[in-house]
Amino acid sequence: MTNTHSTDEYFLKQAIALARSGMHAGKGGPFGCVIVKDGRIVGQGSNEVTITQDPTAHAEVVAIRNACQQLGHFQLDGCTLYTSCEPCPMCLGAIYWARPDRIVYAAADVDAAEAGFDDRFIYDELEKKHTERRIPMKQLLRDEARQVFAEWHEKGDKTLY
């Protein structure tokens, strides 16, 4: 594995293998993810939505949690995230918060949609005003919540992320 292309393919095949094994084990949908730092896997996961009854247990989220625990840090600096499918909006958000150096994916979102995993409606919902979304949103107590942010701003011993 001397070049990036062959290295990417190697680790992407690991993510695809996790997708297949997790699916056949009944953990959840056909999705897998590995996170690599300095040429070694530091985190991995397959979709565990149905086995854990957790709608957020997508492969990328499971792998991020695993990698952060292994690395002892809440960010993935210096890491590459390999995932068997283009990340959904939730996973993409989690990936951006975790801040890996890059993402390599195999199947496209349209491939997932053809298999029954269509997240296009979430992207569409994000474009709408809060009042027009499928799940109604109501804002209350903004000033009280903003006070907590003001306290955070003044807190001297906070850990920034």
Side-chain angles (χ1 to χ4, degrees):
M1 293 184 301
T2 58
N3 66 42
T4 303
H5 182 73
S6 62
T7 300
D8 286 347
E9 286 185 4
Y10 174 80
F11 288 117
L12 203 49
K13 286 180 180 185
Q14 303 300 306
I16 293 168
L18 280 171
R20 181 174 285 114
S21 65
M23 174 189 66
H24 287 300
K27 291 182 176 182
F31 303 95
C33 181
V34 297
I35 299 172
V36 175
K37 184 171 187 168
D38 299 326
R40 68 180 184 88
I41 295 174
V42 295
Q44 63 183 13
S46 63
N47 183 290
E48 297 181 359
V49 168
T50 57
I51 197 167
T52 62
Q53 302 299 306
D54 178 355
T56 68
H58 289 200
E60 296 90 340
V61 173
V62 172
I64 288 168
R65 290 173 179 161
N66 182 246
C68 288
Q69 186 176 41
Q70 295 299 318
L71 295 171
H73 201 267
F74 53 84
Q75 293 187 327
L76 300 175
D77 298 325
C79 294
T80 299
L81 185 142
Y82 295 90
T83 182
S84 65
C85 186
E86 185 174 355
C88 76
M90 177 188 71
C91 292
L92 192 58
I95 292 165
Y96 270 86
W97 282 118
R99 295 180 175 91
D101 289 359
R102 59 193 197 108
I103 304 165
V104 180
Y105 66 93
D109 64 345
V110 295
D111 303 320
E114 288 175 5
F117 299 94
D118 193 358
D119 54 18
R120 173 58 37 205
F121 80 95
I122 298 172
Y123 288 107
D124 294 342
E125 287 289 298
L126 292 173
E127 297 295 322
K128 296 177 183 177
K129 295 178 185 177
H130 292 152
T131 57
E132 297 172 357
R133 292 183 180 166
R134 286 186 198 180
I135 300 174
M137 294 180 71
K138 180 178 181 179
Q139 184 179 26
L140 294 171
L141 303 177
R142 182 177 181 199
D143 290 338
E144 287 84 346
R146 287 173 47 106
Q147 180 58 42
V148 179
F149 286 132
E151 292 170 26
W152 170 258
H153 182 72
E154 298 300 320
K155 186 172 171 33
D157 62 346
K158 63 187 169 212
T159 300
L160 297 176
Y161 59 96

